[in-house]
Amino acid sequence: MSHAQQHVLASAIVLALIVVLGIHVFLFPMYSSNPRIRRIKFSEYEQPLCHTNLKNVRIPVEWKNQCPKYGIVSAVQAGRLGNQIWEYASVWAIARRTGLEAFMPRCILKTLEEHFEHLSIPPLSYIGQCTLDGGQVVNSLDQWNSTEQSIILPKYAAHWSIVLDWLEDVRREFTFKPKLRMNAEIVLKEAAQQHNLSDPTFVGIHVRRTDYIDYLWKTRKVRAAPVSFYHAAMDHYERKYRNVVFIVASDNIGWCKYNLKRKKSKINFISEPDEKGPGKDLAILSSCNHSIIDYGTYGSWGAILAAGETVVFNVTEYFSTLMAEVLPNWRVMG
Ligand SMILES: *[C@@H]1O[C@H](CO)[C@@H](O)[C@H](O)[C@H]1NC(C)=O
Ligand SMILES: *[C@@H]1O[C@H](CO)[C@@H](O)[C@H](O)[C@H]1NC(C)=O
Ligand SMILES: *[C@@H]1O[C@H](CO)[C@@H](O)[C@H](O)[C@H]1NC(C)=O
Ligand SMILES: *[C@@H]1O[C@H](CO)[C@@H](O)[C@H](O)[C@H]1NC(C)=O
């Protein structure tokens, strides 16, 4: 394990402890005074994993009398679309690694099902009548040492190194709904027509601005990627491929229009100014041939699903920079 991975792991464990302690206090108020009260129904366990309220769910007959034989893998909901895709993918990959069954809190599935179809992980509600042994919960793969134990990943789980072990299968897990796929196809086709190109190479650019700039500075003393990063990355693709069309998505598309436009490049800005349609933009980025991303979980999924080459902004010990060290067609710049 590299120093970088150890660092990520240490932070993950600290976070995990905080969350698990939080869950314990919430779920097991009697825990310290009466250690025998440890079993809890999954139906009561699901809501605390969510930051949105759950409504009643109809349980399919085939799940009515089924309980997992061993522990399960699940995760706490946190963040927006990009985070929740990582949470889902982390659970999926850890379940694959351990052989445990995966279940997602319904709130995460609700976020993802707005954009993806045929997700394979069932909701936790389906085993609502089954019980979880509170004494057998760990919050990372490293603490897991018995099939009786369940792994509940704390907030903001993004176990990228395990996810990368099954990258092809994970990509298949995230199939956009037909409407989003069709829209992406139309947007790219129109972009090619607009520039009068019959054999374009589409390069998706995701520019993360707004709150993340503050977050990067506060947590890492890292400044926002400069305009020169995006332009250098664009130069790279324009040197390497013919008929390159850049497709820009951002949470601040106004900034992009003002800063990234340049005469020599064919560049289209697809995001709406009010950040509506994160799924729509992600489907378009995922349909591009190659990617340029700065930072953030959302852009990383655009690049992973596009499955082409990726240029990523250099942030020391940051997950997407670390991924670029492992993935052969990813490179760090800036
Ligand atoms: C297995 O994990 C549990 C919970 O994390 C821990 O209390 C126990 O000591 C571990 N056992 C071994 C053999 O590592
Ligand atoms: C588009 O490209 C074709 C072939 O290169 C050319 O004949 C045509 O004039 C171009 N049309 C426009 C509008 O640029
Ligand atoms: C590039 O992406 C477009 C749109 O998804 C696709 O139609 C085309 O086949 C891709 N080109 C290559 C060389 O993969
Ligand atoms: C990324 O940044 C680190 C720290 O500043 C530096 O050592 C490294 O050479 C950079 N990598 C690239 C590819 O620019």
Side-chain angles (χ1 to χ4, degrees), residues 314 316 332 334:
N314 190 6
T316 311
V332 177

Side-chain angles (χ1 to χ4, degrees), residues 81-82 85 112 114-117 171 174-189 202-206 247-250 270-271 276-291 298-307:
L81 180 59
I85 299 176
L112 299 192
E114 284 172 33
H115 315 295
F116 302 107
E117 58 176 12
R171 279 190 190 118
F174 298 111
T175 306
F176 284 99
K177 290 187 153 183
K179 210 176 116 191
L180 291 173
R181 269 184 280 154
M182 262 163 52
N183 179 66
E185 208 175 295
I186 291 167
V187 168
L188 294 187
K189 209 168 140 192
F202 296 108
V203 176
I205 305 182
H206 185 252
I247 304 292
V248 183
S250 176
I270 57 164
S271 298
K276 275 207 187 114
K280 216 170 80 187
D281 287 359
L282 194 62
I284 297 167
L285 292 174
S286 302
S287 298
C288 290
N289 306 105
H290 305 292
S291 314
Y298 180 92
S300 69
W301 279 103
I304 289 170
L305 296 177

